[in-house]
Amino acid sequence: MQDILNAGLALLPSSMDTPAARVLLLTFGLQESGFKHRDQLEKGGKNTVLGPALSYWQFERGGGVLGVLTHPSSRNHAKRVCDAVGVEPESRAVWERMATDDALGCAFARLLIWTDPLALPLVSDAESAWRLYLRTWRPGAYTRGTPDQQKALRAKFERNHKAAREALK
């Protein structure tokens, strides 16, 4: 996992590579995919249709990908990332590449975090990390979930945040 974080963050200004950012990236990836599937529809490798969300951070083409490509605080960085990995800075091209390019997925995940106007939470602040996750990823499983499902997703996030902190010590 460190290799993916290193490769993705190397595509961005060094000021974006902080311990707090790394904990968030690892936590959000664990929450979204467990770093097991780059394709939301993957079913034992037999899926022949991509999406709707791709990369370990589960980006949707018209959601996070388009948002990072067009947001005033991330669009210039996103273009430089696309140039560096040789992909057209267009939502379909970036989204499709995310199915196989972990560095691109990581860089875009960091850029999505970058679009949030608030300061990054402290490494130990799981509550602020949770609120950042809800603001930036806007997980449908949470917003459409029952109170019990929401509670379970929040508990999963706590476990993932703790695991991320431990992994990055």
Side-chain angles (χ1 to χ4, degrees):
M1 194 58 246
Q2 285 283 9
D3 290 344
I4 294 171
L5 294 181
N6 291 341
L9 290 167
L11 296 169
L12 298 166
S14 61
S15 61
M16 289 190 194
D17 185 355
T18 66
R22 285 176 175 263
V23 166
L24 292 171
L25 289 167
L26 189 51
T27 301
F28 295 3
L30 288 167
Q31 188 76 9
E32 289 293 311
S33 70
F35 291 98
K36 294 179 181 160
H37 303 288
R38 292 176 185 92
D39 184 346
Q40 193 174 38
L41 295 180
E42 188 170 349
K43 305 282 191 267
K46 296 179 176 86
N47 180 34
T48 59
V49 177
L50 289 179
L54 299 176
S55 95
Y56 288 134
W57 290 273
Q58 297 295 290
F59 274 84
E60 292 185 13
R61 178 179 164 209
V65 173
L66 185 60
V68 167
L69 286 169
T70 60
H71 193 279
S73 67
S74 61
R75 66 180 169 222
N76 291 334
H77 296 298
K79 183 173 181 344
R80 284 191 289 278
V81 167
C82 290
D83 289 346
V85 301
V87 67
E88 183 70 27
E90 181 274 322
S91 63
R92 177 174 285 285
V94 171
W95 176 77
E96 287 176 350
R97 175 71 73 82
M98 283 184 174
T100 58
D101 191 330
D102 296 332
L104 177 64
C106 178
F108 265 62
R110 179 61 180 101
L111 288 173
L112 183 55
I113 294 167
W114 185 258
T115 66
D116 190 74
L118 301 180
L120 289 184
L122 298 174
V123 167
S124 60
D125 188 353
E127 179 58 34
S128 294
W130 171 248
R131 289 194 308 267
L132 172 64
Y133 173 70
L134 292 178
R135 285 192 307 273
T136 53
W137 261 254
R138 299 184 310 239
Y142 184 81
T143 57
R144 292 186 301 272
T146 66
D148 285 344
Q149 291 168 325
Q150 291 175 339
K151 185 177 177 181
L153 285 169
R154 178 67 172 95
K156 176 183 172 188
F157 188 89
E158 284 285 338
R159 291 188 304 274
N160 289 331
H161 192 263
K162 181 178 180 182
R165 290 191 320 265
E166 290 297 318
L168 296 173
K169 277 187 178 179

